[in-house]
Amino acid sequence: MNRREFLASTTAGAVVFAGSVYAENETPIPEEMPPLETPQWAAAQIDEVRQRIDAWKGTDVGVVFPLVSDIHAGNPGFSETPDFRDTKTHVRILQRAATQIQADFMAELGDIGFDRDSHWNPSTPEHAQKRLASQQLLYRDFSLPVLFCMGNHDTGRAFGGVFGGKRLSNREYGEMFNGQTRGKGFPLVVGPNGDYGYYDLPGKPCRVFFLNSSEAGERGYSQEQVQFLADHLRMPKDFCAVVLQHISIHRSLGPWLPATQSAKISYGETARTVLEAFVQKEKGEKDGVRWDFTQNQNTTLAGCIFGHSHFGNQIYERGVHYILTQSYGTIHDENLPDFADYTRFGRKESLLCDIVVLKPAQREMRIFRLGAGGAEKDRDFHF
């Protein structure tokens, strides 16, 4: 069963991806976020992962950031009584976790889900606009920078056609989300539409790229975006790079059954060639994109991290770590490949968030699991 058939087989009101089940009327969007007390079970999970992170990082200079992806939240409002079926409620708790673990920023890897309503029907223009407004409210008063990567469900198109009552252009997405972060004074360097760019962490030798893998159609880069990546991988001495986006550019990493490979991304192979050339300190050209990394001094690539597939996985190839995070996406058993690392959990008693911790000088990265799966789901990488 492919994703189109999977959607067609669902009934109204069922959980499809990570969205909430709502038979009642949608709650309205408040002018201010209603109060939310961190439940005891969530506080305990946050404290436990904080201790693991502190023990591993020690006194080394580290870069810390949580990954949120594929929340696919259908209800645009915020209930007065905390509803942990609603993935937005989890995001609010994860924001608090980010400040408690002293994260440098938060990464949102796409598919907020404004293209459908609470029952997975194509959204009306009014519903879509409310859904977008709720996402802005969700991050409006958050103190840390947030790097947003546009998902294939964040365009208003999906599965080869229009899947919502509102289309969102790259520029609208960039201004609405990364523009909100820039408006708080965080020095993001962005492309012409603000939908992709990079962030140099103040006082730390790390450059984090946030890319738009749906810039050209539902999946694909423009040549200009890949050139932006190549140009800005010419980094200062001793810098470490991290690349974030929604859809994996490694086609064997995250396909759903019955497919054996994910669909091709425009300029995806070119982007992979650029990253491999960066690791090897090479000069070259492909598909009109040019690069020269021969002058880079002791620069490294920690990895490329993606959402989209709704399960975890990783592949190391030609010097590059390609990594999936499960986050809040869900998947039917018949679509789950053998290589997938998928954690089932109940949202009323557990969080599920991967937290990345880099030690650039040591060339080490560990991805810690906050919540479901715990320490057994931690992953180590060397680069």
Side-chain angles (χ1 to χ4, degrees):
M1 180 185 292
N2 61 30
R3 292 194 187 203
R4 185 195 301 270
E5 293 168 337
F6 173 43
L7 287 171
S9 70
T10 60
T11 57
V15 175
V16 176
F17 293 117
S20 307
V21 179
Y22 284 99
E24 68 275 18
N25 292 330
E26 296 165 348
T27 53
I29 300 174
E31 293 184 6
E32 299 290 337
M33 200 77 75
L36 176 62
E37 182 177 346
T38 303
Q40 186 174 4
W41 56 262
Q45 291 172 13
I46 294 167
D47 187 60
E48 191 271 341
V49 79
R50 180 188 58 78
Q51 293 181 46
R52 299 205 325 267
I53 289 172
D54 289 346
W56 184 77
K57 185 165 69 70
T59 59
D60 295 328
V61 174
V63 175
V64 181
F65 57 97
L67 302 169
V68 175
S69 188
D70 297 275
I71 69 168
H72 289 282
N75 188 333
F78 295 87
S79 59
E80 291 290 337
T81 301
D83 185 352
F84 283 92
R85 298 173 303 171
D86 187 350
T87 47
K88 298 195 306 301
T89 304
H90 279 247
V91 172
R92 295 181 66 188
I93 297 297
L94 295 175
Q95 289 173 338
R96 296 180 183 180
T99 60
Q100 290 174 39
I101 64 175
Q102 298 182 310
D104 294 279
F105 64 93
M106 197 164 183
E108 216 293 350
L109 301 186
D111 276 5
I112 60 178
F114 78 92
D115 59 351
R116 57 95 170 183
D117 65 15
S118 304
H119 307 295
W120 199 256
N121 298 311
S123 61
T124 64
E126 180 183 27
H127 172 92
Q129 193 62 47
K130 288 180 179 179
R131 182 71 191 86
L132 291 168
S134 75
Q135 283 293 310
Q136 289 186 290
L137 177 61
L138 185 61
Y139 289 98
R140 185 186 66 188
D141 298 323
F142 185 46
S143 60
L144 296 178
V146 183
L147 308 183
F148 288 90
C149 301
M150 193 172 195
N152 57 302
H153 281 277
D154 298 332
T155 66
R157 293 184 60 86
F159 315 106
V162 176
F163 199 66
K166 179 179 174 60
R167 295 291 303 279
L168 195 64
S169 70
N170 297 320
R171 181 178 293 276
E172 287 172 325
Y173 180 91
E175 292 176 349
M176 188 174 294
F177 295 111
N178 290 314
Q180 188 177 53
T181 296
R182 296 176 70 203
K184 297 177 183 178
F186 296 110
L188 309 187
V189 178
V190 299
N193 292 320
D195 56 321
Y196 62 82
Y198 70 85
Y199 177 51
D200 283 349
L201 273 65
K204 296 182 180 181
C206 186
R207 176 168 293 178
V208 183
F209 291 88
F210 49 99
L211 303 183
N212 180 0
S213 58
S214 296
E215 181 194 18
E218 290 177 39
R219 52 178 67 232
Y221 306 108
S222 65
Q223 178 183 335
E224 290 76 14
Q225 183 177 181
V226 181
Q227 188 65 63
F228 178 95
L229 174 66
D231 289 345
H232 295 289
L233 279 169
R234 294 200 296 268
M235 302 189 302
K237 181 180 178 181
D238 299 327
F239 257 53
C240 170
V242 184
V243 179
L244 307 173
Q245 66 182 57
H246 183 64
I247 301 175
S248 169
I249 54 175
H250 195 296
R251 295 179 64 198
S252 300
L253 184 65
W256 286 22
L257 293 180
T260 58
Q261 282 195 322
S262 299
K264 185 178 180 180
I265 296 180
S266 301
Y267 284 95
E269 288 300 315
T270 309
R272 286 188 61 187
T273 303
V274 168
L275 295 174
E276 293 163 8
F278 169 78
V279 172
Q280 300 300 323
K281 308 294 189 289
E282 295 173 343
K283 179 179 180 178
E285 184 271 337
K286 181 179 174 66
D287 297 329
V289 177
R290 294 175 173 81
W291 60 86
D292 184 354
F293 305 123
T294 59
Q295 302 304 308
N296 281 15
Q297 299 182 54
N298 197 38
T299 53
T300 56
L301 176 63
C304 303
I305 304 176
F306 318 96
H308 182 61
S309 291
H310 298 188
F311 54 77
N313 193 17
Q314 60 271 333
I315 291 176
Y316 182 71
E317 191 169 291
R318 299 175 185 171
V320 180
H321 290 290
Y322 301 94
I323 304 164
L324 290 179
T325 181
Q326 175 181 328
S327 197
Y328 281 85
T330 59
I331 182 171
H332 280 179
D333 288 343
E334 59 265 32
N335 299 115
L336 195 63
D338 292 339
F339 55 74
D341 183 2
Y342 182 63
T343 305
R344 290 174 173 81
F345 75 108
R347 292 201 295 265
K348 292 183 179 180
E349 65 276 344
S350 185
L351 304 168
L352 193 156
C353 178
D354 285 335
I355 300 174
V356 179
V357 182
L358 298 173
K359 295 196 286 189
Q362 288 75 24
R363 299 192 176 192
E364 295 177 353
M365 175 171 67
R366 178 173 288 185
I367 298 182
F368 291 84
R369 173 62 57 85
L370 165 57
E376 292 184 358
K377 296 296 183 180
D378 292 352
R379 294 181 274 177
D380 286 295
F381 304 89
H382 298 270
F383 53 91

